[in-house]
Amino acid sequence: MKYLQIKSALDIIFSVILIVLMTPVFLIIGIFIFLDSGWPIFFKQKRVGKNGKIFNMWKFRSMPLTHNNHPNVNREWTNGIPDDFIYETSSPKGITKLSYFLRKTSLDELPQLINVIKGDMSFIGPRPEVPEFTRYYNQNQNNRLKVKPGLSGLAQINGRSSITHGEKIKWDNTYVENVSFTLDFKILFKTFWKVVMSKDSY
């Protein structure tokens, strides 16, 4: 698809520009994290990308070093993840005001610009899932893996963590089937508005 090729090129160009312009922001956040809770500054986690490719997704660390970031998923799902499933997480003990601020403003997601430059992610697309969940996917759920995962997507601007897994899949598959410059622009605008309003931390 021609647009997807253009989109990949634009992803890289704008990611490089943003990283250069935001280098001072990266440095300031890194210093604050170090002063707040020490090393490491960054956090990486295995995620599933386009066509099931596994990659390391980068973030600024916003969780205590003792926190286990790998979900313990051991289910007896045989026909995909149930539509009414909602993965609930609780704030770990020891989370600081800085960590809360980074997550609330989505500033902890900035290092994913590196993933965009590497070609693992795009600005817009379904959010990358962890392998612990995708191993349960059925064929319909696997459709969301036909495009690169994104920093934000339709599911994010329509509820994110407050929606069920079935609703997430519906929004993500809608994106896969209708990907276009117009749709990407709408998602980007609504994402910016949500971040500004500090709604549904990403």
Side-chain angles (χ1 to χ4, degrees), residues 7 11 47-50 55 57-58 109 112-113 115-116 119-129 144-156 160 172 175-176 184 187-188 191 202:
K7 179 181 178 180
D11 281 337
R47 294 294 179 106
V48 181
K50 183 179 179 181
F55 68 97
M57 187 184 78
W58 291 90
E109 308 282 358
Q112 286 164 43
L113 291 171
N115 288 118
V116 177
D120 297 324
M121 295 177 63
S122 175
F123 275 99
I124 304 299
R127 282 296 291 168
E129 189 59 273
R144 72 188 296 272
L145 303 178
K146 289 183 178 180
V147 298
K148 288 181 182 179
L151 301 178
S152 183
L154 273 179
Q156 276 58 51
R160 198 200 177 222
D172 287 343
Y175 177 79
V176 171
D184 280 355
I187 295 172
L188 192 64
T191 298
Y202 286 69

Side-chain angles (χ1 to χ4, degrees), residues 64-98:
L65 293 173
T66 55
H67 179 66
N68 181 13
N69 289 284
H70 298 282
N72 183 17
V73 183
N74 188 14
R75 311 278 177 153
E76 295 182 356
W77 295 327
T78 58
N79 189 32
I81 300 177
D83 286 345
D84 60 355
F85 174 74
I86 297 178
Y87 182 66
E88 297 180 353
T89 59
S90 57
S91 297
K93 294 181 179 180
I95 191 168
T96 66
K97 291 182 179 180
L98 174 64

Side-chain angles (χ1 to χ4, degrees), residues 44-60:
K44 67 178 180 179
Q45 186 181 47
K46 296 291 183 183
R47 294 294 179 106
V48 181
K50 183 179 179 181
N51 298 323
K53 177 186 175 183
I54 305 294
F55 68 97
N56 286 318
M57 187 184 78
W58 291 90
K59 300 176 72 172
F60 280 118

